[in-house]
Amino acid sequence: MRLRCGAKPLQVHMEGNHSFLSYCFGAVLIAAVAFTVSYRSAHVTMLLHNLSTPRSGEVEVLPPEAVSVLDCVRQSGAKSVQLSKLLADNRFLAQPITESIYPALVTDQGQLYVSYLSEPLPAGCVSLKEAKRVRIAACR
């Protein structure tokens, strides 16, 4: 019997070593991010708990107005929301509201009407909630 040293075993060994190094690098990167974030805000276990919790990051990422609209959509079970013209023109509020309320949709005739507090409500709408700078109303 003759032993052969071919490219296959060496190649498999190098691929295995590469994946091991990738896993190690990934673990070090995750640990570094967790340490950095925990150093600034909270304990690492709290960070990991928040990452695995439903609805995590909503309050930290969304504007307060979008969080208010999202809470109202969830509580009411609304399938659609209408944004006032002024609010729809503000992309810094309209976009997060539109994204966060999904699967509810932003339409022209929504079950809920969202506007700035300074705007008058359309006829047939009843105010449900006023939070931050927005008013949420139910419309027929």
Side-chain angles (χ1 to χ4, degrees), residues 58-59 61-68 92-93 96-97:
E58 288 177 355
V59 175
V61 174
L62 294 173
E65 296 86 357
V67 173
S68 297
F92 297 108
L93 282 180
I97 290 171

Side-chain angles (χ1 to χ4, degrees), residues 11-105:
Q11 186 179 14
V12 170
H13 177 68
M14 292 302 285
E15 286 175 2
N17 196 16
H18 175 70
S19 64
F20 175 74
L21 290 176
S22 296
Y23 288 128
C24 287
F25 178 73
V28 168
L29 182 64
I30 290 171
V33 169
F35 176 75
T36 303
V37 172
S38 70
Y39 179 74
R40 291 184 189 165
S41 59
H43 201 271
V44 174
T45 55
M46 184 58 114
L47 170 68
L48 294 176
H49 174 72
N50 286 344
L51 289 174
S52 63
T53 312
R55 301 181 180 122
S56 65
E58 288 177 355
V59 175
E60 293 83 7
V61 174
L62 294 173
E65 296 86 357
V67 173
S68 297
V69 174
L70 177 59
D71 288 341
C72 194
V73 167
R74 284 182 178 151
Q75 290 171 4
S76 69
K79 302 288 185 219
S80 60
V81 172
Q82 179 182 354
L83 300 178
S84 71
K85 175 71 173 131
L86 284 176
L87 191 62
D89 288 342
N90 182 346
R91 67 181 174 151
F92 297 108
L93 282 180
Q95 186 66 32
I97 290 171
T98 302
E99 291 173 352
S100 64
I101 65 170
Y102 183 81
L105 301 175

